[in-house]
Every structure is written in C-alpha cells, then in structure tokens.
Amino acid sequence: MTWVLILNGPNLNLLGTRKPETYGRTTLADVEKMCREEAGKLRLEVTFRQSNHEGRLIDWIHECGAAVKAGESIGAVFNPGAFTHTSVALHDAVEGASVPLIELHISNVHQREEFRHHSYISPVARGIIVGFGVAGYVLALHGLHQLARAG
Ligand code: CA2
C-alpha cells in the first residue's frame, strides 16, 4: 500500500504532558492513532516518526524522497518543531529529496513570539497548516492526498 510519512521534530514527544494551554492535552500516541485511522479511509499506510535529532529527521526525509520517486509514497506531513525557525539543513533536505510536504504547526505561530514567525521549511513546502491544534494533522493528511491525486 502507498504510504505517507508523518514526521515530528524536537520535543513533540512531550505533547499532552505539558503546556496544555498551547498544545492541548492530546498525546503524540493519540495523534498517531488519529492519523492511522484517517489514512486508512484514504487507503494510505502511515509511517509515524518523531525525533529530537536533526540528522535523523533528515535521513527520514531522504528515505521518503526515494520512496516518492519509486511511487511507493505520496510524501510527508511534517511538524518540524523549533527546527522550523532555525534549520537550513532541513530546508535543504526537503528541497534536495523533492518530497511533497505539508508543513504543520499545532499552534498559530503567527500569534506567538516574533522568532516563531519565520520558517525555513515554508518555502519548500507544498502547503502549510497552522493553528488548528492536533486536528491539523488530519487536515494536512487530506491536503497531501488531494495534491497527490491532482498530480
Ligand atoms: O505549534 C507547533 O506545532 C510548533 O511546531 C511546536 C514547537 C514550536 O517550537 C514551534 O514554534 C511551533 C514546539 C514543540 C514542543 O512541544 C511541546 C509540547 C508539550 C510540552 C512542551 C513542548
């Protein structure tokens, strides 16, 4: 079955355990379950990953790029966490691997501190979902599926 990568960056393993006023009470395990259920309806398999390490995220993006080229994956939904605002390396990985990718943020980063307003990922993302809470993962999944169908 065709698969989709749902990729999560640093500290997102803490989701649902702290800062509920910003990120809600849903855990990353709950998000994974939600994504698997929704992807099933779209006949997609989910590869769900989280890492606090930039290099590991880059390797997974490269892997996904190779799978997209081979027709095995439609691309990725990516919450890069704080690396959004710092990482030229992740920007280059997405661009270099030619991964169709939806950038996703749980919170509305534009209502928050100035340093969260700039993203290194947005210029290489096909689409962006911001501020819908964890429901954004499902919206991003549908968005990516739609883009893949449109070709
Ligand atoms: O809103 C988002 O999804 C963010 O990508 C989350 C990042 C933040 O650095 C971005 O600016 C926006 C932070 C992820 C850390 O998540 C935590 C969850 C619970 C407790 C502490 C951190």
Side-chain angles (χ1 to χ4, degrees):
M1 208 195 287
T2 312
W3 57 276
V4 57
L5 175 64
I6 315 265
L7 189 56
N8 294 280
N11 298 310
L12 283 156
N13 52 312
L14 300 176
L15 202 64
T17 66
R18 283 178 223 162
K19 297 201 79 166
E21 66 287 0
T22 310
Y23 300 116
R25 293 190 187 279
T26 309
T27 66
L28 199 61
D30 296 331
V31 172
E32 176 171 359
K33 192 163 175 271
M34 240 165 62
C35 288
R36 288 192 189 284
E37 279 172 15
E38 202 61 28
K41 296 179 199 164
L42 301 172
R43 299 193 182 286
L44 289 169
E45 202 170 284
V46 167
T47 300
F48 196 92
R49 305 244 190 257
Q50 187 275 330
S51 179
N52 296 322
H53 304 276
E54 201 174 22
R56 181 167 274 198
L57 295 167
I58 290 169
D59 289 343
W60 286 332
I61 288 167
H62 290 173
E63 235 175 69
C64 185
V68 170
K69 204 170 166 197
E72 294 161 5
S73 170
I74 61 163
V77 170
F78 187 23
N79 185 344
F83 287 152
T84 307
H85 320 296
T86 63
S87 182
V88 175
L90 281 169
H91 167 110
D92 289 350
V94 175
E95 189 175 44
S98 302
V99 178
L101 178 143
I102 308 295
E103 176 185 350
L104 158 92
H105 299 287
I106 298 165
S107 63
N108 181 350
V109 283
H110 299 289
Q111 279 178 349
R112 300 181 65 193
E113 305 94 322
E114 186 95 33
F115 66 82
R116 294 186 204 275
H117 296 180
H118 177 262
S119 166
Y120 281 98
I121 309 304
S122 296
V124 289
R126 292 286 306 275
I128 305 160
I129 304 267
V130 165
F132 288 90
V134 293
Y137 283 86
V138 167
L139 297 174
L141 206 50
H142 278 276
L144 186 62
H145 180 250
Q146 199 64 40
L147 289 175
R149 276 164 53 104

Short mmCIF file of all heavy atoms in Angstrom, two decimals, residues 81-138:
data_model
loop_
_atom_site.label_atom_id
_atom_site.label_comp_id
_atom_site.label_asym_id
_atom_site.label_seq_id
_atom_site.Cartn_x
_atom_site.Cartn_y
_atom_site.Cartn_z
N GLY A 81 8.77 21.31 14.64
CA GLY A 81 9.01 21.87 15.97
C GLY A 81 9.87 23.12 15.85
O GLY A 81 9.77 23.87 14.87
N ALA A 82 10.75 23.32 16.81
CA ALA A 82 11.58 24.54 16.82
C ALA A 82 12.59 24.58 15.68
O ALA A 82 13.09 25.66 15.32
CB ALA A 82 12.28 24.66 18.17
N PHE A 83 12.89 23.42 15.06
CA PHE A 83 13.80 23.42 13.90
C PHE A 83 13.22 24.22 12.73
O PHE A 83 13.95 24.64 11.84
CB PHE A 83 14.12 21.99 13.44
CG PHE A 83 15.04 21.22 14.34
CD1 PHE A 83 14.97 19.83 14.41
CD2 PHE A 83 16.02 21.86 15.11
CE1 PHE A 83 15.82 19.10 15.23
CE2 PHE A 83 16.88 21.13 15.93
CZ PHE A 83 16.78 19.76 15.99
N THR A 84 11.89 24.41 12.75
CA THR A 84 11.22 25.26 11.74
C THR A 84 11.96 26.58 11.58
O THR A 84 12.13 27.07 10.47
CB THR A 84 9.78 25.60 12.22
OG1 THR A 84 9.10 24.41 12.56
CG2 THR A 84 9.01 26.40 11.18
N HIS A 85 12.33 27.13 12.75
CA HIS A 85 12.81 28.52 12.78
C HIS A 85 14.33 28.62 12.72
O HIS A 85 14.87 29.72 12.79
CB HIS A 85 12.29 29.19 14.07
CG HIS A 85 10.88 28.81 14.41
ND1 HIS A 85 9.82 29.14 13.58
CD2 HIS A 85 10.33 28.10 15.44
CE1 HIS A 85 8.69 28.66 14.11
NE2 HIS A 85 8.98 28.02 15.24
N THR A 86 15.00 27.47 12.62
CA THR A 86 16.48 27.50 12.68
C THR A 86 17.18 26.71 11.58
O THR A 86 18.35 26.95 11.33
CB THR A 86 16.97 26.89 14.02
OG1 THR A 86 16.57 25.51 14.08
CG2 THR A 86 16.43 27.65 15.23
N SER A 87 16.49 25.76 10.95
CA SER A 87 17.24 24.72 10.23
C SER A 87 17.30 24.88 8.71
O SER A 87 16.37 24.49 7.97
CB SER A 87 16.68 23.33 10.56
OG SER A 87 17.45 22.35 9.89
N VAL A 88 18.44 25.38 8.26
CA VAL A 88 18.72 25.41 6.81
C VAL A 88 18.91 23.97 6.32
O VAL A 88 18.55 23.64 5.19
CB VAL A 88 19.99 26.26 6.55
CG1 VAL A 88 20.38 26.22 5.08
CG2 VAL A 88 19.78 27.70 7.01
N ALA A 89 19.45 23.11 7.19
CA ALA A 89 19.70 21.71 6.79
C ALA A 89 18.39 20.99 6.47
O ALA A 89 18.32 20.22 5.49
CB ALA A 89 20.44 20.98 7.91
N LEU A 90 17.33 21.24 7.24
CA LEU A 90 16.04 20.61 6.94
C LEU A 90 15.42 21.20 5.68
O LEU A 90 14.84 20.49 4.87
CB LEU A 90 15.09 20.74 8.14
CG LEU A 90 15.36 19.73 9.26
CD1 LEU A 90 14.57 20.10 10.52
CD2 LEU A 90 15.00 18.31 8.84
N HIS A 91 15.58 22.50 5.50
CA HIS A 91 15.14 23.15 4.25
C HIS A 91 15.79 22.44 3.06
O HIS A 91 15.13 22.04 2.10
CB HIS A 91 15.54 24.63 4.29
CG HIS A 91 15.43 25.35 2.97
ND1 HIS A 91 14.48 26.31 2.72
CD2 HIS A 91 16.15 25.24 1.83
CE1 HIS A 91 14.61 26.75 1.48
NE2 HIS A 91 15.63 26.12 0.91
N ASP A 92 17.12 22.27 3.14
CA ASP A 92 17.87 21.65 2.03
C ASP A 92 17.46 20.19 1.82
O ASP A 92 17.43 19.72 0.69
CB ASP A 92 19.37 21.73 2.30
CG ASP A 92 19.92 23.14 2.17
OD1 ASP A 92 19.19 24.03 1.68
OD2 ASP A 92 21.09 23.37 2.54
N ALA A 93 17.15 19.48 2.92
CA ALA A 93 16.75 18.07 2.81
C ALA A 93 15.44 17.95 2.05
O ALA A 93 15.30 17.11 1.14
CB ALA A 93 16.62 17.45 4.20
N VAL A 94 14.47 18.78 2.40
CA VAL A 94 13.15 18.72 1.74
C VAL A 94 13.31 19.07 0.26
O VAL A 94 12.79 18.37 -0.62
CB VAL A 94 12.14 19.68 2.42
CG1 VAL A 94 10.82 19.72 1.67
CG2 VAL A 94 11.92 19.28 3.89
N GLU A 95 14.08 20.11 0.00
CA GLU A 95 14.29 20.53 -1.39
C GLU A 95 15.08 19.47 -2.16
O GLU A 95 14.70 19.05 -3.25
CB GLU A 95 15.04 21.86 -1.39
CG GLU A 95 15.12 22.49 -2.76
CD GLU A 95 15.76 23.87 -2.69
OE1 GLU A 95 16.78 24.04 -1.99
OE2 GLU A 95 15.22 24.77 -3.36
N GLY A 96 16.16 19.00 -1.54
CA GLY A 96 17.07 18.05 -2.21
C GLY A 96 16.41 16.71 -2.49
O GLY A 96 16.66 16.09 -3.51
N ALA A 97 15.55 16.27 -1.58
CA ALA A 97 14.90 14.96 -1.74
C ALA A 97 13.61 15.07 -2.56
O ALA A 97 12.98 14.06 -2.87
CB ALA A 97 14.60 14.36 -0.37
N SER A 98 13.24 16.30 -2.91
CA SER A 98 11.99 16.56 -3.68
C SER A 98 10.78 15.87 -3.06
O SER A 98 10.03 15.18 -3.75
CB SER A 98 12.12 16.10 -5.14
OG SER A 98 13.18 16.73 -5.76
N VAL A 99 10.60 16.05 -1.77
CA VAL A 99 9.46 15.43 -1.08
C VAL A 99 8.27 16.38 -1.08
O VAL A 99 8.36 17.49 -0.57
CB VAL A 99 9.81 15.12 0.40
CG1 VAL A 99 8.61 14.53 1.12
CG2 VAL A 99 10.97 14.18 0.49
N PRO A 100 7.13 15.96 -1.66
CA PRO A 100 5.91 16.76 -1.49
C PRO A 100 5.57 16.77 0.00
O PRO A 100 5.38 15.70 0.60
CB PRO A 100 4.86 16.00 -2.31
CG PRO A 100 5.62 15.03 -3.15
CD PRO A 100 6.89 14.73 -2.42
N LEU A 101 5.50 17.95 0.58
CA LEU A 101 5.43 18.00 2.04
C LEU A 101 4.48 19.10 2.51
O LEU A 101 4.46 20.19 1.96
CB LEU A 101 6.85 18.25 2.55
CG LEU A 101 7.11 18.41 4.04
CD1 LEU A 101 8.44 17.75 4.41
CD2 LEU A 101 7.17 19.88 4.44
N ILE A 102 3.68 18.75 3.51
CA ILE A 102 2.83 19.75 4.17
C ILE A 102 3.48 20.08 5.51
O ILE A 102 3.70 19.19 6.33
CB ILE A 102 1.39 19.21 4.42
CG1 ILE A 102 0.76 18.64 3.14
CG2 ILE A 102 0.52 20.31 5.02
CD1 ILE A 102 0.51 19.62 2.03
N GLU A 103 3.79 21.35 5.70
CA GLU A 103 4.32 21.81 6.99
C GLU A 103 3.14 22.05 7.92
O GLU A 103 2.13 22.62 7.51
CB GLU A 103 5.09 23.13 6.78
CG GLU A 103 5.60 23.75 8.08
CD GLU A 103 6.25 25.11 7.85
OE1 GLU A 103 6.48 25.50 6.67
OE2 GLU A 103 6.51 25.79 8.86
N LEU A 104 3.27 21.59 9.14
CA LEU A 104 2.16 21.67 10.07
C LEU A 104 2.61 22.21 11.42
O LEU A 104 3.66 21.80 11.94
CB LEU A 104 1.59 20.25 10.26
CG LEU A 104 0.80 20.06 11.52
CD1 LEU A 104 -0.65 20.32 11.26
CD2 LEU A 104 0.98 18.71 12.09
N HIS A 105 1.82 23.13 11.97
CA HIS A 105 2.04 23.59 13.35
C HIS A 105 0.73 23.51 14.12
O HIS A 105 -0.32 23.97 13.61
CB HIS A 105 2.59 25.01 13.37
CG HIS A 105 3.90 25.10 12.67
ND1 HIS A 105 5.06 24.60 13.22
CD2 HIS A 105 4.22 25.52 11.43
CE1 HIS A 105 6.03 24.75 12.36
NE2 HIS A 105 5.57 25.30 11.26
N ILE A 106 0.82 22.97 15.31
CA ILE A 106 -0.37 22.81 16.16
C ILE A 106 -0.88 24.20 16.58
O ILE A 106 -2.07 24.48 16.51
CB ILE A 106 0.00 21.97 17.40
CG1 ILE A 106 0.43 20.56 16.97
CG2 ILE A 106 -1.17 21.91 18.39
CD1 ILE A 106 1.13 19.76 18.06
N SER A 107 0.04 25.03 17.01
CA SER A 107 -0.33 26.38 17.46
C SER A 107 -0.27 27.35 16.28
O SER A 107 0.35 27.05 15.25
CB SER A 107 0.64 26.84 18.56
OG SER A 107 1.96 26.93 18.04
N ASN A 108 -0.91 28.51 16.46
CA ASN A 108 -0.77 29.57 15.44
C ASN A 108 0.51 30.33 15.75
O ASN A 108 0.53 31.25 16.56
CB ASN A 108 -1.98 30.50 15.46
CG ASN A 108 -1.86 31.58 14.40
OD1 ASN A 108 -0.80 31.74 13.78
ND2 ASN A 108 -2.93 32.32 14.18
N VAL A 109 1.57 29.94 15.07
CA VAL A 109 2.90 30.51 15.34
C VAL A 109 2.93 32.03 15.11
O VAL A 109 3.74 32.73 15.72
CB VAL A 109 3.99 29.83 14.49
CG1 VAL A 109 4.34 28.46 15.04
CG2 VAL A 109 3.57 29.71 13.02
N HIS A 110 2.00 32.53 14.29
CA HIS A 110 1.99 33.98 13.98
C HIS A 110 1.38 34.82 15.10
O HIS A 110 1.52 36.04 15.11
CB HIS A 110 1.30 34.22 12.63
CG HIS A 110 2.04 33.53 11.55
ND1 HIS A 110 3.28 33.94 11.10
CD2 HIS A 110 1.77 32.38 10.88
CE1 HIS A 110 3.71 33.10 10.18
NE2 HIS A 110 2.82 32.14 10.03
N GLN A 111 0.71 34.14 16.04
CA GLN A 111 0.18 34.85 17.22
C GLN A 111 1.17 34.80 18.36
O GLN A 111 0.90 35.29 19.44
CB GLN A 111 -1.11 34.18 17.70
CG GLN A 111 -2.33 34.58 16.94
CD GLN A 111 -3.55 33.85 17.45
OE1 GLN A 111 -3.46 32.90 18.23
NE2 GLN A 111 -4.72 34.28 17.01
N ARG A 112 2.32 34.17 18.13
CA ARG A 112 3.26 33.93 19.23
C ARG A 112 4.51 34.81 19.06
O ARG A 112 4.47 35.82 18.36
CB ARG A 112 3.59 32.43 19.28
CG ARG A 112 2.32 31.58 19.51
CD ARG A 112 2.63 30.11 19.59
NE ARG A 112 3.44 29.81 20.75
CZ ARG A 112 4.07 28.64 20.93
NH1 ARG A 112 3.96 27.68 20.03
NH2 ARG A 112 4.79 28.44 22.02
N GLU A 113 5.59 34.46 19.73
CA GLU A 113 6.79 35.29 19.71
C GLU A 113 7.27 35.51 18.27
O GLU A 113 7.14 34.65 17.41
CB GLU A 113 7.94 34.64 20.49
CG GLU A 113 7.62 34.28 21.94
CD GLU A 113 7.15 32.83 22.10
OE1 GLU A 113 6.41 32.33 21.22
OE2 GLU A 113 7.53 32.22 23.11
N GLU A 114 7.89 36.66 18.05
CA GLU A 114 8.42 37.05 16.73
C GLU A 114 9.33 35.97 16.14
O GLU A 114 9.27 35.69 14.94
CB GLU A 114 9.21 38.37 16.92
CG GLU A 114 9.70 38.98 15.64
CD GLU A 114 8.74 40.04 15.10
OE1 GLU A 114 8.09 40.73 15.91
OE2 GLU A 114 8.67 40.15 13.86
N PHE A 115 10.14 35.32 16.99
CA PHE A 115 11.10 34.33 16.45
C PHE A 115 10.40 33.11 15.85
O PHE A 115 11.01 32.33 15.12
CB PHE A 115 12.15 33.91 17.50
CG PHE A 115 11.61 33.15 18.69
CD1 PHE A 115 11.37 31.78 18.62
CD2 PHE A 115 11.38 33.79 19.90
CE1 PHE A 115 10.89 31.07 19.71
CE2 PHE A 115 10.90 33.10 21.00
CZ PHE A 115 10.65 31.73 20.91
N ARG A 116 9.09 32.95 16.14
CA ARG A 116 8.36 31.82 15.55
C ARG A 116 7.69 32.19 14.23
O ARG A 116 7.02 31.39 13.60
CB ARG A 116 7.29 31.30 16.52
CG ARG A 116 7.85 30.69 17.78
CD ARG A 116 6.75 30.07 18.64
NE ARG A 116 7.17 29.99 20.02
CZ ARG A 116 7.91 29.00 20.55
NH1 ARG A 116 8.29 28.00 19.79
NH2 ARG A 116 8.27 29.03 21.81
N HIS A 117 7.84 33.45 13.80
CA HIS A 117 7.13 33.91 12.61
C HIS A 117 7.85 33.50 11.32
O HIS A 117 7.25 33.48 10.26
CB HIS A 117 6.95 35.43 12.63
CG HIS A 117 6.08 35.89 13.76
ND1 HIS A 117 5.76 37.20 13.98
CD2 HIS A 117 5.47 35.19 14.77
CE1 HIS A 117 4.99 37.30 15.06
NE2 HIS A 117 4.81 36.10 15.56
N HIS A 118 9.14 33.22 11.43
CA HIS A 118 9.88 32.81 10.22
C HIS A 118 10.05 31.30 10.18
O HIS A 118 10.39 30.68 11.17
CB HIS A 118 11.25 33.48 10.15
CG HIS A 118 12.03 33.02 8.96
ND1 HIS A 118 12.99 32.04 9.04
CD2 HIS A 118 11.94 33.36 7.66
CE1 HIS A 118 13.47 31.81 7.82
NE2 HIS A 118 12.86 32.60 6.97
N SER A 119 9.82 30.74 8.98
CA SER A 119 10.02 29.30 8.79
C SER A 119 10.99 29.06 7.64
O SER A 119 10.82 29.61 6.55
CB SER A 119 8.69 28.63 8.46
OG SER A 119 8.92 27.32 7.97
N TYR A 120 11.99 28.20 7.90
CA TYR A 120 12.91 27.78 6.83
C TYR A 120 12.26 26.69 5.96
O TYR A 120 12.76 26.38 4.89
CB TYR A 120 14.22 27.24 7.43
CG TYR A 120 15.16 28.34 7.85
CD1 TYR A 120 15.24 28.75 9.17
CD2 TYR A 120 15.97 28.98 6.90
CE1 TYR A 120 16.10 29.77 9.56
CE2 TYR A 120 16.83 30.00 7.28
CZ TYR A 120 16.89 30.39 8.61
OH TYR A 120 17.74 31.40 8.98
N ILE A 121 11.16 26.12 6.46
CA ILE A 121 10.54 25.00 5.75
C ILE A 121 9.48 25.49 4.75
O ILE A 121 9.31 24.91 3.68
CB ILE A 121 9.89 24.00 6.76
CG1 ILE A 121 10.90 23.60 7.87
CG2 ILE A 121 9.36 22.75 6.06
CD1 ILE A 121 12.22 23.02 7.37
N SER A 122 8.77 26.56 5.11
CA SER A 122 7.65 27.02 4.27
C SER A 122 8.00 27.21 2.79
O SER A 122 7.20 26.81 1.93
CB SER A 122 7.07 28.33 4.83
OG SER A 122 6.52 28.12 6.10
N PRO A 123 9.17 27.77 2.46
CA PRO A 123 9.46 27.97 1.03
C PRO A 123 9.58 26.67 0.23
O PRO A 123 9.48 26.69 -0.98
CB PRO A 123 10.80 28.72 1.03
CG PRO A 123 10.99 29.24 2.40
CD PRO A 123 10.23 28.34 3.32
N VAL A 124 9.82 25.53 0.92
CA VAL A 124 9.96 24.26 0.20
C VAL A 124 8.78 23.31 0.48
O VAL A 124 8.80 22.15 0.08
CB VAL A 124 11.32 23.57 0.51
CG1 VAL A 124 12.45 24.35 -0.14
CG2 VAL A 124 11.56 23.42 2.00
N ALA A 125 7.77 23.83 1.20
CA ALA A 125 6.56 23.02 1.48
C ALA A 125 5.55 23.23 0.36
O ALA A 125 5.48 24.30 -0.23
CB ALA A 125 5.96 23.43 2.82
N ARG A 126 4.75 22.18 0.07
CA ARG A 126 3.66 22.34 -0.91
C ARG A 126 2.48 23.08 -0.28
O ARG A 126 1.73 23.77 -0.96
CB ARG A 126 3.17 20.96 -1.39
CG ARG A 126 4.17 20.18 -2.23
CD ARG A 126 4.30 20.76 -3.65
NE ARG A 126 3.03 20.90 -4.35
CZ ARG A 126 2.44 19.94 -5.05
NH1 ARG A 126 3.02 18.77 -5.17
NH2 ARG A 126 1.29 20.14 -5.67
N GLY A 127 2.31 22.90 1.04
CA GLY A 127 1.22 23.57 1.74
C GLY A 127 1.55 23.70 3.22
O GLY A 127 2.47 23.04 3.71
N ILE A 128 0.78 24.55 3.89
CA ILE A 128 1.05 24.83 5.32
C ILE A 128 -0.26 24.83 6.09
O ILE A 128 -1.25 25.43 5.65
CB ILE A 128 1.72 26.21 5.46
CG1 ILE A 128 2.99 26.29 4.60
CG2 ILE A 128 2.08 26.51 6.92
CD1 ILE A 128 3.43 27.70 4.31
N ILE A 129 -0.26 24.15 7.24
CA ILE A 129 -1.44 24.14 8.14
C ILE A 129 -0.96 24.65 9.49
O ILE A 129 -0.03 24.10 10.07
CB ILE A 129 -1.98 22.70 8.32
CG1 ILE A 129 -2.32 22.05 6.98
CG2 ILE A 129 -3.14 22.68 9.30
CD1 ILE A 129 -3.74 22.19 6.51
N VAL A 130 -1.63 25.68 9.98
CA VAL A 130 -1.18 26.34 11.21
C VAL A 130 -2.37 26.67 12.10
O VAL A 130 -3.37 27.22 11.62
CB VAL A 130 -0.44 27.66 10.83
CG1 VAL A 130 -0.26 28.56 12.02
CG2 VAL A 130 0.91 27.38 10.21
N GLY A 131 -2.27 26.31 13.38
CA GLY A 131 -3.22 26.83 14.36
C GLY A 131 -4.52 26.07 14.54
O GLY A 131 -5.44 26.57 15.18
N PHE A 132 -4.61 24.84 14.02
CA PHE A 132 -5.84 24.05 14.17
C PHE A 132 -5.73 23.02 15.28
O PHE A 132 -6.54 22.09 15.34
CB PHE A 132 -6.20 23.35 12.85
CG PHE A 132 -6.72 24.28 11.79
CD1 PHE A 132 -5.86 24.90 10.91
CD2 PHE A 132 -8.08 24.55 11.71
CE1 PHE A 132 -6.35 25.76 9.93
CE2 PHE A 132 -8.57 25.42 10.73
CZ PHE A 132 -7.69 26.03 9.84
N GLY A 133 -4.72 23.17 16.14
CA GLY A 133 -4.50 22.14 17.15
C GLY A 133 -4.07 20.85 16.47
O GLY A 133 -3.63 20.85 15.30
N VAL A 134 -4.25 19.72 17.18
CA VAL A 134 -3.80 18.45 16.61
C VAL A 134 -4.70 18.00 15.44
O VAL A 134 -4.30 17.15 14.65
CB VAL A 134 -3.70 17.33 17.67
CG1 VAL A 134 -2.60 17.63 18.66
CG2 VAL A 134 -5.03 17.10 18.36
N ALA A 135 -5.89 18.60 15.31
CA ALA A 135 -6.75 18.31 14.15
C ALA A 135 -6.02 18.66 12.85
O ALA A 135 -6.35 18.13 11.78
CB ALA A 135 -8.06 19.07 14.25
N GLY A 136 -5.03 19.53 12.94
CA GLY A 136 -4.25 19.92 11.77
C GLY A 136 -3.56 18.73 11.10
O GLY A 136 -3.35 18.75 9.88
N TYR A 137 -3.24 17.69 11.87
CA TYR A 137 -2.58 16.52 11.27
C TYR A 137 -3.51 15.86 10.24
O TYR A 137 -3.07 15.46 9.17
CB TYR A 137 -2.17 15.51 12.34
CG TYR A 137 -0.93 15.89 13.11
CD1 TYR A 137 -0.99 16.72 14.24
CD2 TYR A 137 0.34 15.43 12.73
CE1 TYR A 137 0.14 17.08 14.95
CE2 TYR A 137 1.49 15.78 13.43
CZ TYR A 137 1.38 16.61 14.54
OH TYR A 137 2.51 16.97 15.23
N VAL A 138 -4.78 15.76 10.62
CA VAL A 138 -5.76 15.13 9.72
C VAL A 138 -6.00 16.03 8.50
O VAL A 138 -6.08 15.55 7.36
CB VAL A 138 -7.08 14.85 10.50
CG1 VAL A 138 -8.21 14.51 9.56
CG2 VAL A 138 -6.85 13.73 11.50
#
